[in-house]
Amino acid sequence: METTEEIIKILKGNIVYTETCNSFEMVENGYIVVDGNYVEGVYKDLPDKYKHFNIKNYGDRLIIPGFIDLHTHGAQFAIRGIGYDKELLPWLETYTFPEEAKFSNKDYAEKVYREFVNELYTEGTTRAVIFGTIHQEATEILMELLEGKEIISYVGKVNMDRNCPDFLKENADESIRTTIQWIESCHNKYKFVKPIITPRFVPTCSDSLMKALGDIAINNSIPVQSHLSENTDEIKWVGELHPDCESYGAVYDKYNLFGKTKTIMAHCVHLTEEEISKIIKNQVFIAHCPSSNINLSSGISPISKLLKNNAPLGLGSDIAGGETLSMLSVMSCAVKVSKLRKVCYGEDEMSLTIPEVFYLATKGGGKFFGKVGSFEGGYEFDALVIDDDNLWKVRKGKIEERIERLIYLGSSKNIMSRYVFGKEV
Amino acid sequence: METTEEIIKILKGNIVYTETCNSFEMVENGYIVVDGNYVEGVYKDLPDKYKHFNIKNYGDRLIIPGFIDLHTHGAQFAIRGIGYDKELLPWLETYTFPEEAKFSNKDYAEKVYREFVNELYTEGTTRAVIFGTIHQEATEILMELLEGKEIISYVGKVNMDRNCPDFLKENADESIRTTIQWIESCHNKYKFVKPIITPRFVPTCSDSLMKALGDIAINNSIPVQSHLSENTDEIKWVGELHPDCESYGAVYDKYNLFGKTKTIMAHCVHLTEEEISKIIKNQVFIAHCPSSNINLSSGISPISKLLKNNAPLGLGSDIAGGETLSMLSVMSCAVKVSKLRKVCYGEDEMSLTIPEVFYLATKGGGKFFGKVGSFEGGYEFDALVIDDDNLWKVRKGKIEERIERLIYLGSSKNIMSRYVFGKEV
């Protein structure tokens, strides 16, 4: 058994986090006391009882929570940053489905997923919620790589049995059987990685498949992830496929895939008022994916309004719709795009502030994982130590300015240390 | 005198450039023959007469034209990436004017400008058109630093004599006298750097100052740069200040600052049809600054429409409205923002293609400097050699995909060599 000395960790530096989205909590030259896996407290002056412990002194560096990526596609890593000449549906047909089909090959899957997981680590993402492909073996390879790198994550074997090319189509029975088998094979297998039920999106999932997936989620207490209201053509199509449902979101709800267990819906660009109400009532998480929404010309999500309405919200890199796994880049994109809502849709629209976007990338998304993404007492300790000297060659700014510039100009090279669940990784 | 062997340079690699904005010219494993400062030709097979020359073989790397930045503020380098919570006019008052006032101190100017020039070089900008401040000495420091780094550039001592704080205001006579003195002191002083007449923008320049600056430009055959129609509050203000003029652009035109000598107008987000006609008639260059236009909530420029109408067009980083000098980042921002015009303003709007934005960052902006920004015969040879291996860990894409991903995900670390006016720098 570990002694107390080994369990207590103390880090010193400029500590920044967000309890609420309204402002930063900042302690310059402060201390974070970590007890095992959890934050014990943040202090301007270290309490006497901790004074005999070793202190890891990071000097003038920033210590911030690790980044949370609520939506991304590991299997699309090799096609990120190319092919943004199409909108969602033709983009899937032209670029994405052919790429995902390659994951029937385990060697290819291992090669791509290894680079994907390394990049997640490099970019300071300590927790992620990830789409795989329809292939069980490839999905398990991804899970093992994440486990090895100690990135705490939910991973989904994708289900899709209609409106997709034959080379990437399951039949409903096979899809359900494989999913159950996969869930069983995951049981107690990983410390850091968990399965998540993953119907790709309504257009590619038959009613019987969605019904079965809802049952599997509930019976096994497993969360759910999918896509919602990303693109206007997609929404129109869902309306044609499900004329009995009031909205796109109502289709998922019909099949117990909309908050019966913990749920993330990615995008949510064009929600109806009814969908917003249901999201808030069911506490469905929205993964806001600004980079993807702009690259695929999907639109500008009313993210400030959703935040003001207390919808559960986090950010998603959504590669390969988004071009990068860098949550810094996703944050700056979220702020930029939010400004254009005001420009395009008028004065009532608000843009995201820097504390708001920082909150979304840490505590907002972190809530999906529990008490994660903040340095409040009792939170799981995920942290990044940031050396931003290269961004401040003339003179160093105030802490808040350093965070703002980090978001606009920082990159993985500014991340000098990473902690996940109390441990440096 | 140099021998022929010393004057002829031959580079081998994957050569990419744009003769028009419609498509890339690509020669895989091709040769560029450079004769002194100029491109002699691009060849798939090297002509016999060049076979005895040494060949600089860059292997599988890309060779592209150097980047052209048509609009940026050297003196705002230290405040880039912070303070994007305000729109143009309050942003100038709150952040920009106080920062520019510091350039009365030569030591501070030297410190900031040195970092600015180093970063231009690092980011692969081979030519730039730059605002200084009202201070003659500081502006000359900037010019000397650019000359030392061999970045071909136009630099402006800023003029402003009204509607600005006393600590950054000239009187008209002093402003005119200093400008003439500065122009004279630049005469034959630099090989790579030239002066450009720089009224800040209409709101801060009195009629008598603008009239005098127009005269100076014409009498000395010196080009002109300023800002035009960036922000709706600004445009309204110009209308109140100059009720006799049909438009914002017409004010500059009235004072011979709108194409009488070679002219760049930055931003041009909200142009009237009359202004567009005058821009095309007078062949005024538009510096499109997408990053700044989004950061300061200025709007979305109808850039595809301007391109289709053959308006002279290039890109500007516009720090500190823009957060970065990276023209790769400005290019990706231009494409992204152009997609949102369609989303917000409807089907008639077009988004920028990858060849179009590459053209804007090279040959489009290069036209301001003459035959610059392309590898056609007779063009001045500016080039970047790009090592993009770190972007293609799974498998390397086709040349066009490599350019697209470079724009979306590349950075200065992908630039392995730089050539300016025929010489490696």
Side-chain angles (χ1 to χ4, degrees):
Chain A
M1 195 187 135
E2 291 178 288
T3 66
T4 310
E5 277 74 9
E6 286 168 320
I7 290 173
I8 295 286
K9 261 195 210 74
I10 300 173
L11 286 71
K12 184 166 192 244
N14 296 307
I15 299 160
V16 185
Y17 60 104
T18 44
E19 272 192 46
T20 75
C21 63
N22 299 321
S23 61
F24 286 114
E25 307 298 318
M26 293 180 285
V27 185
E28 282 191 68
N29 299 310
Y31 303 85
I32 302 185
V33 176
V34 180
D35 185 351
N37 309 114
Y38 301 92
V39 177
E40 190 278 328
V42 170
Y43 302 97
K44 178 68 195 164
D45 300 301
L46 193 65
D48 284 343
K49 63 178 171 175
Y50 296 121
K51 290 206 168 148
H52 67 288
F53 287 96
N54 281 332
I55 294 168
K56 187 105 180 178
N57 190 343
Y58 287 111
D60 192 41
R61 298 190 173 100
L62 303 167
I63 305 175
I64 63 174
F67 297 138
I68 316 291
D69 188 344
L70 279 194
H71 180 67
T72 198
H73 293 261
Q76 296 170 24
F77 183 73
I79 57 164
R80 76 200 188 287
I82 50 175
Y84 296 139
D85 56 333
K86 301 199 190 317
E87 293 197 16
L88 176 65
L89 301 175
W91 176 79
L92 287 169
E93 293 286 340
T94 311
Y95 301 111
T96 313
F97 291 156
E99 176 67 16
E100 288 193 13
K102 296 178 189 166
F103 286 71
S104 62
N105 178 321
K106 288 197 289 178
D107 291 338
Y108 186 74
E110 202 275 345
K111 191 171 178 184
V112 176
Y113 281 146
R114 185 176 295 282
E115 295 297 338
F116 166 74
V117 170
N118 285 345
E119 185 109 333
L120 271 183
Y121 171 87
T122 303
E123 296 292 353
T125 298
T126 53
R127 315 238 173 176
V129 185
I130 307 168
F131 272 59
T133 61
I134 60 170
H135 313 94
Q136 181 185 347
E137 286 180 317
T139 303
E140 292 186 10
I141 289 169
L142 172 58
M143 296 174 91
E144 276 154 29
L145 288 163
L146 288 160
E147 179 76 8
K149 207 77 180 173
E150 303 189 18
I151 295 172
I152 298 180
S153 43
Y154 288 94
V155 173
K157 186 211 96 65
V158 173
N159 304 91
M160 48 202 285
D161 71 338
R162 66 171 179 179
N163 296 318
C164 47
D166 287 341
F167 58 74
L168 199 68
K169 191 188 287 182
E170 306 170 293
N171 72 50
D173 291 343
E174 170 207 344
S175 182
I176 295 161
R177 194 174 56 248
T178 315
T179 302
I180 292 169
Q181 183 181 308
W182 166 65
I183 300 284
E184 284 170 358
S185 92
C186 295
H187 191 65
N188 287 337
K189 190 167 175 189
Y190 309 107
K191 181 176 169 198
F192 299 107
V193 187
K194 291 178 184 164
I196 182 166
I197 294 296
T198 306
R200 180 171 212 113
F201 67 154
V202 166
T204 61
C205 298
S206 68
D207 294 12
S208 57
L209 178 56
M210 285 192 279
K211 183 178 181 320
L213 293 176
D215 292 345
I216 295 172
I218 290 173
N219 294 338
N220 297 275
S221 301
I222 293 180
V224 171
Q225 65 177 345
S226 195
H227 299 91
L228 176 63
S229 296
E230 176 174 357
N231 171 287
T232 50
D233 289 342
E234 170 211 20
I235 295 167
K236 189 162 159 258
W237 192 16
V238 171
E240 288 160 9
L241 290 167
H242 297 272
D244 58 312
C245 290
E246 194 180 356
S247 67
Y248 191 162
V251 183
Y252 291 120
D253 200 35
K254 180 177 175 184
Y255 296 111
N256 292 327
L257 296 164
F258 209 63
K260 278 281 192 290
T261 60
K262 204 165 54 167
T263 298
I264 296 176
M265 287 287 152
H267 300 286
C268 301
V269 179
H270 309 278
L271 296 175
T272 65
E273 290 299 323
E274 175 253 341
E275 284 174 307
I276 293 175
S277 303
K278 200 165 275 177
I279 279 170
I280 293 168
K281 176 164 168 270
N282 294 6
Q283 287 291 293
V284 170
F285 280 76
I286 295 172
H288 175 46
C289 306
S291 317
S292 170
N293 295 344
I294 196 167
N295 286 336
L296 301 183
S297 303
S298 298
I300 309 177
S301 172
I303 201 69
S304 282
K305 178 181 163 186
L306 295 166
L307 191 60
K308 294 312 179 265
N309 285 332
N310 295 313
L313 271 173
L315 298 181
S317 64
D318 190 32
I319 62 158
E323 73 271 27
T324 175
L325 288 173
S326 163
M327 294 307 290
L328 290 170
S329 171
V330 174
M331 277 188 256
S332 65
C333 186
V335 173
K336 288 175 181 187
V337 166
S338 75
K339 289 180 175 172
L340 292 182
R341 268 200 78 91
K342 188 175 169 194
V343 167
C344 298
Y345 300 123
E347 290 299 321
D348 288 349
E349 299 287 340
M350 297 293 292
S351 54
L352 284 178
T353 65
I354 298 297
E356 282 172 347
V357 81
F358 187 93
Y359 174 89
L360 293 180
T362 55
K363 189 172 175 179
K367 280 185 182 172
F368 190 79
F369 291 85
K371 293 179 89 168
V372 170
S374 179
F375 293 147
E376 293 155 70
Y379 269 65
E380 299 182 18
F381 182 67
D382 288 10
L384 305 175
V385 181
I386 303 293
D387 182 342
D388 59 347
D389 283 354
N390 71 317
L391 303 177
W392 294 97
K393 285 182 183 161
V394 178
R395 64 175 185 284
K396 219 167 214 178
K398 291 177 288 189
I399 301 291
E400 272 186 277
E401 292 174 326
R402 289 171 63 184
I403 295 289
E404 186 174 2
R405 186 173 286 178
L406 178 74
I407 290 170
Y408 278 103
L409 292 171
S411 72
S412 59
K413 74 178 169 196
N414 297 110
I415 303 173
M416 60 171 287
S417 301
R418 297 154 181 84
Y419 289 82
V420 176
F421 199 41
K423 183 185 159 199
E424 187 165 3
V425 292
Chain B
M1 196 187 133
E2 291 178 290
T3 66
T4 310
E5 278 72 10
E6 286 167 320
I7 290 174
I8 296 286
K9 264 194 207 73
I10 300 173
L11 286 71
K12 183 165 194 245
N14 295 307
I15 298 159
V16 185
Y17 59 105
T18 44
E19 272 191 45
T20 75
C21 63
N22 300 322
S23 61
F24 286 114
E25 307 299 319
M26 293 179 286
V27 184
E28 283 191 68
N29 299 310
Y31 302 84
I32 302 185
V33 176
V34 180
D35 186 349
N37 309 115
Y38 302 91
V39 178
E40 191 277 329
V42 170
Y43 302 97
K44 178 68 195 164
D45 300 301
L46 193 65
D48 284 343
K49 63 177 171 175
Y50 296 121
K51 289 206 167 146
H52 67 289
F53 288 95
N54 282 331
I55 294 167
K56 187 105 180 178
N57 190 342
Y58 287 110
D60 192 40
R61 298 189 173 102
L62 304 167
I63 305 176
I64 63 174
F67 298 138
I68 317 292
D69 188 344
L70 279 194
H71 180 67
T72 199
H73 293 261
Q76 296 171 23
F77 183 73
I79 58 164
R80 76 202 188 286
I82 50 175
Y84 295 140
D85 56 334
K86 302 199 189 316
E87 293 197 16
L88 175 65
L89 300 176
W91 176 79
L92 286 170
E93 292 286 339
T94 310
Y95 301 112
T96 313
F97 291 156
E99 177 66 15
E100 289 193 13
K102 295 179 189 165
F103 285 68
S104 61
N105 178 323
K106 288 197 288 179
D107 292 339
Y108 186 74
E110 201 277 344
K111 192 170 178 184
V112 176
Y113 281 146
R114 184 175 298 279
E115 295 297 340
F116 166 74
V117 170
N118 285 344
E119 187 109 334
L120 271 182
Y121 171 87
T122 303
E123 296 292 353
T125 299
T126 53
R127 315 238 174 176
V129 186
I130 307 168
F131 272 58
T133 60
I134 59 170
H135 312 94
Q136 182 187 344
E137 286 180 318
T139 303
E140 292 187 9
I141 289 169
L142 172 57
M143 295 174 90
E144 276 154 28
L145 288 163
L146 288 160
E147 179 76 9
K149 208 78 181 175
E150 301 187 21
I151 295 171
I152 298 180
S153 42
Y154 289 93
V155 173
K157 186 211 96 62
V158 172
N159 303 92
M160 48 201 287
D161 70 337
R162 66 170 178 178
N163 295 320
C164 48
D166 287 340
F167 59 73
L168 199 67
K169 190 187 286 180
E170 306 170 295
N171 73 52
D173 290 345
E174 171 207 344
S175 182
I176 296 161
R177 193 175 55 247
T178 314
T179 302
I180 292 170
Q181 183 183 307
W182 166 64
I183 299 286
E184 283 170 359
S185 92
C186 294
H187 190 65
N188 287 336
K189 191 166 173 189
Y190 308 108
K191 182 177 170 197
F192 299 108
V193 187
K194 289 178 185 163
I196 183 167
I197 295 296
T198 305
R200 179 169 213 117
F201 68 153
V202 166
T204 61
C205 298
S206 67
D207 293 12
S208 58
L209 178 57
M210 284 192 281
K211 183 177 180 321
L213 293 176
D215 292 344
I216 294 172
I218 290 174
N219 293 339
N220 297 275
S221 301
I222 293 179
V224 170
Q225 65 178 344
S226 195
H227 299 91
L228 176 64
S229 296
E230 175 174 357
N231 171 287
T232 50
D233 290 341
E234 170 210 21
I235 295 166
K236 191 163 158 256
W237 192 17
V238 170
E240 289 160 7
L241 291 167
H242 297 272
D244 58 312
C245 290
E246 195 180 354
S247 68
Y248 191 163
V251 183
Y252 291 120
D253 200 33
K254 180 176 175 183
Y255 297 111
N256 292 325
L257 295 164
F258 209 63
K260 278 281 190 291
T261 60
K262 204 165 56 167
T263 298
I264 296 176
M265 287 287 152
H267 300 287
C268 301
V269 178
H270 308 280
L271 295 175
T272 66
E273 289 300 323
E274 175 253 341
E275 284 174 308
I276 294 174
S277 302
K278 199 165 278 178
I279 280 171
I280 292 166
K281 177 164 166 272
N282 294 5
Q283 288 291 292
V284 169
F285 280 76
I286 295 171
H288 176 46
C289 306
S291 316
S292 171
N293 295 344
I294 195 168
N295 286 336
L296 301 183
S297 302
S298 300
I300 309 177
S301 172
I303 200 70
S304 282
K305 179 180 161 189
L306 294 167
L307 191 60
K308 290 330 177 247
N309 285 331
N310 296 312
L313 270 173
L315 297 180
S317 65
D318 191 30
I319 62 158
E323 74 270 27
T324 175
L325 288 172
S326 163
M327 294 307 292
L328 290 169
S329 171
V330 174
M331 277 188 257
S332 66
C333 186
V335 173
K336 289 175 180 186
V337 166
S338 75
K339 290 180 175 172
L340 292 182
R341 269 199 78 94
K342 186 174 170 193
V343 166
C344 296
Y345 301 121
E347 291 298 323
D348 288 348
E349 299 287 341
M350 298 291 292
S351 54
L352 284 177
T353 66
I354 298 297
E356 282 172 346
V357 80
F358 187 91
Y359 173 89
L360 292 180
T362 55
K363 189 173 176 180
K367 281 186 182 170
F368 190 77
F369 291 85
K371 293 179 87 167
V372 169
S374 178
F375 294 147
E376 293 156 70
Y379 269 65
E380 300 181 17
F381 182 67
D382 288 10
L384 305 174
V385 181
I386 303 293
D387 181 342
D388 60 345
D389 283 354
N390 71 317
L391 303 177
W392 294 98
K393 285 183 181 160
V394 178
R395 65 177 184 284
K396 219 167 216 177
K398 290 177 290 190
I399 301 291
E400 272 187 277
E401 293 174 326
R402 290 171 63 185
I403 295 288
E404 185 174 3
R405 186 173 285 178
L406 178 73
I407 289 171
Y408 278 104
L409 291 171
S411 71
S412 58
K413 75 179 172 197
N414 298 109
I415 304 174
M416 62 172 287
S417 301
R418 296 155 182 82
Y419 290 82
V420 176
F421 199 41
K423 183 185 157 199
E424 186 165 5
V425 291

